[in-house]
């Protein structure tokens, strides 16, 4: 097992002490992967404050679990996660944290029924403890994020080097994805958005058979996945020549994006980052046309904590990876979004998606 | 709006009557899509027994909701699904079904707190009512499933017409996916499995850089998505020439698959279908090497009800779409799986994935 997973479980153990819990029953698959390296599609993990860790999965994944988590106790069963609680029946008292933001009502009811057989047991919410740990990326995670971003920006450079006019949104999306695979992406990070002309005004748009024509804004929101880690990048270009209104909204978005990036720093309130970008859009008069969130953490999930928003009560922690992605969307006409994935450390915010943010006017 | 969605909501209304509920709060996105046609990534739907239906989504999807569900009442809000319950505050009494198999503990707690302000309100489980409706496919769904399967089998035919030896699992997977896109797939139905040589013994295997060589079994489990509907097909071929043990396990799996297909019929107990295929594998001596489920429903989800298993208490209903996919997996040596997507009607079980199931020995 790579050392990072053991270290992450030790950090969770510290969290449990602080929360006065004896154990954590982790059922979110991404959290299980983060703590163990296990990538199967069915698993649960029990971590005790004493440092014990037991992984449960089903028969399909027995070999894979042995390979990926050879150091862990492993159980093969059809009844996850209750088989894990069964390992604790000798304990008269137990305060066990469960992932109430992930467990369904029905799943929780089954566990609670099991716990009721033990008068000294109490289930409580783990309150996103693992997600909190995941906000801070370790060296292995940073390396994977960097590689995912490098694949993404290289693929985009290749795409933009060839003519775009006359090609359909779908053809462009598939071309970009093929380039990411050729550069050793393990997967596409999310459904690529390729939105041309009036479609670019739709923040989330599925590529269609519309062909790109001169005068279009072309918005491309995409990323590669590498070793489980996601890149997230948006660039908007103009085809043929840029009209004044296109240059104007591009400049407004570029300024807002830079304002958001400049505001990033360790211990900065997340809400201040949001405010910096929105203030810039307010000054340029386009704030009402920015209808989405400013950014989000990125890692084993494409969207994860922290979510950059006005009401976020927290601060940016060192080694947070996140996006800054303001946009201006003019319904029926077109829109611009510029998005980077960045890593915030004590040295500042490093852009991982290094493609230029100058307005490109392309054929 | 296409008529099917209105008809499906009327069917849900009938279900509510039978369950003595006044309303259903639908939060599963696939169920929302099934009942409305809405495809955005954030939505909730309230259906009342009187026939009312209100869709709630956030600001990103206002235009899309108007386009896709113009006939429905629509609410734009950040607080789904509670904004929907708010529309019912004039009701002194309300028995509302919620999706306890989908709502998380935290989400349910928020709704329950809201409901407690109304002494006459009761929340109870909708108990997978919409999933029950979805087991029976209507004409629009059958057409989309047929097209998804036709795209998949055409793409496979193209792939198998060219030499495979020397190509990597990943290259083969990407080639097959490219062919599906060219045939107008809207997406890949799930991560393609291309497993060669010893890898074919792993039921679920991510394609690697291993190159296919003569003597390999090559297992390909894949499908296209079309208008939201999924195809699911597995074929296993041999490269170069087939050894006796390969022919033997292929024959065993083919017989078991045919036994499962032959057992399908309207009103047949689901468990009997499972038994038919397992009995065939038992007779050939390979039952212990079949370690997965026999099949599953397929539709708006790649895996949905009914799940074909020994303990399934129900029967096959007319217009159920499902897979039959036995396999024999010999660890370290190789494995064979043969899988079709089928539609069961009063006329019997129609194979939608029409590629031959004869053993193909290919270059």
């Amino acid at each position: 097992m790579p050392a990072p997973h053991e270290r992450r479980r030790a950090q969770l153990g510290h969290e449990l002490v602080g929360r006065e819990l004896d154990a954590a029953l982790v059922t979110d698959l991404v959290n299980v992967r983060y703590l163990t390296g296990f990538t199967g599609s069915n698993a649960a993990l029990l971590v005790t404050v004493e440092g014990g860790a037991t992984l449960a999965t089903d028969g399909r994944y027995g070999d894979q679990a042995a390979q990926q988590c050879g150091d862990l106790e492993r159980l093969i069963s059809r009844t996850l996660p209750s088989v894990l609680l069964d390992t604790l029946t000798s304990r008269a008292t137990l305060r066990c944290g469960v992932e109430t933001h992930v467990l369904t009502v029905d799943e929780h009811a089954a566990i609670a029924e099991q716990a009721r057989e033990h008068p000294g047991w109490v289930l409580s919410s783990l309150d996103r403890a693992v997600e909190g740990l995941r906000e801070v990326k370790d060296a292995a995670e940073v390396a994977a994020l960097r590689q995912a971003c490098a694949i993404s920006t290289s693929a985009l450079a290749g795409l933009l080097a060839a003519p775009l006019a006359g090609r359909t949104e779908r053809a462009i999306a598939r071309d970009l994805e093929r380039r990411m695979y050729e550069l050793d992406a393990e997967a596409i990070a999310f459904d690529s958005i390729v939105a041309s002309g009036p479609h670019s005004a739709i923040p989330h748009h599925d590529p269609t058979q519309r062909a790109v024509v001169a005068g279009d804004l072309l918005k491309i929101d995409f990323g590669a996945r590498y070793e489980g880690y996601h890149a997230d990048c948006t660039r908007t270009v103009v085809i043929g020549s840029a009209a004044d209104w296109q240059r104007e909204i591009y400049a407004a978005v570029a300024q807002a994006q830079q304002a958001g990036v400049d505001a990033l720093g360790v211990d900065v309130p997340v809400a201040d980052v949001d405010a910096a970008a929105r203030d810039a859009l307010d000054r340029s008069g386009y704030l009402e046309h920015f209808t989405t969130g400013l950014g989000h953490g990125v890692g084993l999930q494409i969207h994860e904590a922290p979510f950059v928003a006005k009401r976020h009560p927290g601060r940016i922690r060192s080694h947070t990876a996140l996006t800054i992605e303001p946009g201006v969307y003019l319904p029926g006409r077109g829109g611009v979004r510029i998005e980077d994935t960045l890593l915030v450390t004590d040295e500042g915010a490093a852009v991982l998606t290094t493609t230029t943010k100058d307005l490109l006017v392309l054929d």
Side-chain angles (χ1 to χ4, degrees), chain A residues 10 43 60 75 89 91 164 197 222 224 230 254 289 308 363:
Chain A
R60 291 174 298 169
L75 296 172
T89 46
R91 300 197 183 205
L164 296 163
F222 75 106
H230 298 74
H289 297 290
V308 184
D363 291 337

Side-chain angles (χ1 to χ4, degrees), chain A residues 70-312:
Chain A
D71 64 321
L72 289 187
E73 297 223 28
R74 298 182 304 283
L75 296 172
I76 304 297
S77 169
R78 282 166 191 257
T79 56
L80 317 185
S82 70
V83 65
L84 289 173
L85 283 185
D86 276 343
T87 65
L88 303 175
T89 46
S90 65
R91 300 197 183 205
T93 64
L94 176 72
R95 291 158 303 179
C96 184
V98 301
E99 296 192 292
T100 53
H101 65 301
V102 173
L103 282 174
T104 68
V105 175
D106 292 349
E107 289 166 344
H108 186 268
I111 300 171
E113 189 179 333
Q114 187 180 357
R116 268 195 298 276
E117 294 168 16
H118 305 271
W121 285 20
V122 178
L123 299 183
S124 63
S125 176
L126 198 54
D127 204 14
R128 298 178 192 255
V130 186
E131 281 81 356
L133 297 178
R134 282 171 45 202
E135 273 193 44
V136 175
K137 267 62 182 178
D138 62 29
E141 296 184 283
V142 169
L145 279 166
R146 281 190 190 283
Q147 184 63 15
C149 291
I151 291 168
S152 305
T153 53
S154 296
L156 183 66
L159 179 83
L160 298 183
L164 296 163
R167 305 178 69 189
T168 67
E169 293 171 348
R170 279 200 196 167
I172 292 170
R174 297 296 92 79
D175 185 354
L176 181 57
E177 292 166 357
R178 180 183 59 75
R179 290 170 189 274
M180 290 192 279
Y181 279 122
E182 280 177 3
L183 291 162
D184 215 18
E186 70 179 1
I188 301 307
F190 54 92
D191 290 347
S192 306
I193 296 171
V194 175
S196 64
H199 292 166
S200 61
I202 305 168
H204 294 82
H205 169 75
D206 285 330
T208 70
Q209 299 292 17
R210 182 183 186 281
V212 172
V213 295
D216 277 354
L217 287 164
L218 178 64
K219 183 181 71 188
I220 304 174
D221 187 348
F222 75 106
R225 199 181 80 199
Y226 185 80
E227 292 181 355
Y229 286 80
H230 298 74
D232 197 354
C233 180
T234 307
R235 291 294 185 268
T236 307
V237 302
V238 179
I239 306 300
S241 64
D244 287 347
W245 69 272
Q246 293 172 328
R247 290 190 184 278
E248 187 173 314
I249 64 173
Y250 194 92
V253 173
Q255 281 161 17
Q257 208 262 351
Q258 193 60 49
V261 170
D262 290 344
L264 288 170
V266 174
D267 282 337
V268 171
V270 174
D272 288 5
V273 178
D274 187 72
R278 286 182 199 274
D279 287 351
L281 282 173
D282 198 18
R283 284 193 298 275
S284 62
Y286 286 105
L287 182 56
E288 68 176 307
H289 297 290
F290 175 40
T291 50
T292 70
L294 182 65
H296 53 83
V298 60
L300 284 172
Q301 285 178 294
I302 182 66
H303 299 123
E304 58 180 49
F307 292 90
V308 184
K310 188 163 75 175
R311 282 173 212 162
H312 193 295

